Amino acid sequence: MPDWLLSGAPRAAACDLYCFPHGGGTAAEYLRWARDLRTARVHAVQLPGRVPRLNEAVPGSMRELVEAFVAEVPLPAGRFVFFGHSLGALFAYEVTRALAAAGRPLPARLVVSGFRAPHLPHPGGRLHRLPDDELLDAVARLHGGLPDEVLASAELRELAAAALRADYRVLETYAWQAGEPLPVPLTVFGGEDDRITADELAAWDEHTSAGTSVRRFPGGHFYLRERPVPVQRALAAVLAAVRAERNTPC
């Protein structure tokens, strides 16, 4: 079975927190959280076509990506939480919809970050069709987030461009399909200086029948890198609330 998850060490009475990466991102970024989120066992999602799954075919659409994840990743019987940033937010949302459609257990919370509500018009684009250098430059202008060591290495630039191209193909070919709101509470995070507005974040409320809370943090699109501690504290509060509900352990 493909290795979709890199997981932190098991912790007694900890909630399972599944973290879906942003466009071009890797699982390794979230594993750093495993050390600090003491009430969670962090499972960082690894996408096909990334280290160490470089030899696997990359799904060409959100539907293919979600179908593969739902078919191949066993989720726990206990309570768990999904977190996704940017493209990862859309991925986590669509996985939750697929689980609901299949009558499977749902996350106790869906935490979406740095992404406008999926029914809103998304800026079109053909970034996934650009040559490598133009693609990297365009993404850096839009969102930043490309480390200097990646930009300075021809090999790392090639890997980064391939990952971004795959993810932007998924994003730029995505078309939201109307459906019933999820019976899952939504927590929405965003950066105060991001291009995504407070109204676009608040519009996620249309996608749940179980309530929404919105919180914005200082910083831009990658606010969670700029100041990780407040984000981790906010996630810890979400996990604590899940554990407190009806005194049900994770």
Side-chain angles (χ1 to χ4, degrees):
M1 178 178 293
D3 191 2
W4 280 91
L5 304 174
L6 283 177
S7 299
R11 288 192 171 118
C15 284
D16 289 279
L17 174 65
Y18 292 82
C19 297
F20 294 74
H22 60 81
T26 67
E29 184 162 4
Y30 288 126
L31 282 184
R32 302 186 188 104
W33 292 9
R35 175 187 57 202
D36 301 313
L37 284 170
R38 298 294 182 181
T39 57
R41 185 184 186 198
V42 175
H43 305 277
V45 175
Q46 303 186 108
L47 299 182
R50 315 293 163 82
V51 175
R53 304 179 66 185
L54 287 173
N55 294 327
E56 296 181 36
V58 178
S61 69
M62 179 62 76
R63 179 183 59 79
E64 293 174 11
L65 187 61
V66 168
E67 287 179 353
F69 183 91
V70 169
E72 296 168 1
V73 178
L75 294 170
R79 298 171 73 77
F80 58 95
V81 173
F82 281 171
F83 172 87
H85 178 68
S86 197
L87 177 63
L90 185 63
F91 185 16
Y93 162 73
E94 287 293 349
V95 167
T96 306
R97 295 181 89 189
L99 293 173
R104 290 177 55 182
L106 301 177
R109 288 287 190 285
L110 174 59
V111 185
V112 292
S113 167
F115 201 85
R116 58 178 55 83
H119 68 282
L120 298 177
H122 287 259
R126 299 169 64 86
L127 293 183
H128 70 284
R129 298 183 182 275
L130 293 176
D132 285 2
D133 287 344
E134 292 182 33
L135 172 60
L136 292 172
D137 289 345
V139 172
R141 286 196 306 272
L142 284 171
H143 301 304
L146 296 175
D148 291 339
E149 58 268 24
V150 170
L151 298 177
S153 165
E155 181 179 2
L156 293 178
R157 285 175 67 90
E158 183 178 356
L159 288 173
L164 285 166
R165 189 180 313 284
D167 289 346
Y168 271 95
R169 181 171 65 245
V170 167
L171 176 61
E172 292 175 342
T173 59
Y174 172 82
W176 180 74
Q177 300 295 317
E180 291 296 318
L182 292 167
V184 176
L186 282 178
T187 299
V188 186
F189 291 166
E192 293 174 350
D193 300 322
D194 196 359
R195 291 169 177 260
I196 298 166
T197 67
D199 287 344
E200 290 171 329
L201 294 175
W204 275 98
D205 189 57
E206 296 191 24
H207 297 277
T208 177
S209 59
T212 306
S213 62
V214 180
R215 179 170 175 181
R216 299 176 80 199
F217 298 85
H221 187 65
F222 285 101
Y223 69 90
L224 68 174
R225 283 180 182 168
E226 297 167 25
R227 297 177 178 85
V229 172
V231 182
Q232 292 170 0
R233 288 175 177 167
L235 277 174
V238 169
L239 296 167
V242 168
R243 294 182 65 189
E245 288 172 353
R246 297 184 295 276
N247 295 316
T248 303
C250 293

